[in-house]
Amino acid sequence: MKKLLLLILMILMGFTCFAGSVYVMDSGKPDLVIWIAPYKSQADLCVYVAPHRSEARGKDEIWYFEKYRSSADIKIKITKYKSQADLKIYYVKYKSEAGWRKSHPWMGRLH
C-alpha cells in the first residue's frame, strides 16, 4: 500500500506545472499582450528572466522563456504600442528587484 501511494505521489509530482514559464508568440491568439517599458516607472511588473525553469515556479515576477509552446504556462505576444498591452513590463538585472509595482488584474494569474 505504501509503495502504491509513493508511486502515485511521484507521478503527480512529475505533472507539476512550473509557473512563470513563458512562450513568445509571433502569430495566433496569446494569453497576454505585453509592452516592454524603457523605464521602470512605466511598468506594472518588473520581470527577472531566470536561467533555469525551476526558479520561475509559482512566481509572477520571475520568467523562464520556453522554446516550445506546449511547455509554457502562458503564451505572450509583444507589442510596440503601450495602448495595446494588457501588461507593461520592465526587465530587471537582479532577482531582488523583480515584483509588482502596482495592483493589477493579472496579479497572481501568471502562474
Side-chain angles (χ1 to χ4, degrees):
M1 183 67 169
K2 285 183 182 180
K3 288 182 181 180
L4 179 62
L5 184 61
L6 184 60
L7 179 64
I8 292 170
L9 185 62
M10 289 175 69
I11 290 170
L12 289 175
M13 287 176 66
F15 291 112
T16 302
C17 187
F18 285 86
S21 62
V22 176
Y23 177 78
V24 179
M25 300 177 63
D26 292 327
S27 61
K29 183 156 174 43
D31 298 323
L32 183 66
V33 178
I34 66 161
W35 177 70
I36 302 168
Y39 302 103
K40 191 175 185 177
S41 60
Q42 295 175 315
D44 300 320
L45 177 65
C46 291
V47 173
Y48 172 77
V49 179
H52 305 285
R53 188 175 199 219
S54 60
E55 291 181 61
R57 184 185 302 192
K59 298 180 179 122
D60 288 344
E61 66 274 10
I62 300 175
W63 290 5
Y64 173 77
F65 288 99
E66 293 286 353
K67 291 181 183 178
Y68 304 104
R69 183 184 208 168
S70 59
S71 302
D73 294 321
I74 191 162
K75 286 94 177 156
I76 65 169
K77 196 177 229 181
I78 300 170
T79 183
K80 291 182 189 179
Y81 306 104
K82 184 178 177 179
S83 60
Q84 293 176 344
D86 299 320
L87 181 67
K88 300 164 198 81
I89 68 161
Y90 178 78
Y91 290 116
V92 294
K93 194 173 184 178
Y94 304 104
K95 199 184 291 189
S96 59
E97 296 176 324
W100 289 98
R101 295 192 28 83
K102 48 188 139 184
S103 184
H104 194 277
W106 277 91
M107 192 177 280
R109 292 178 53 199
L110 298 178
H111 58 270

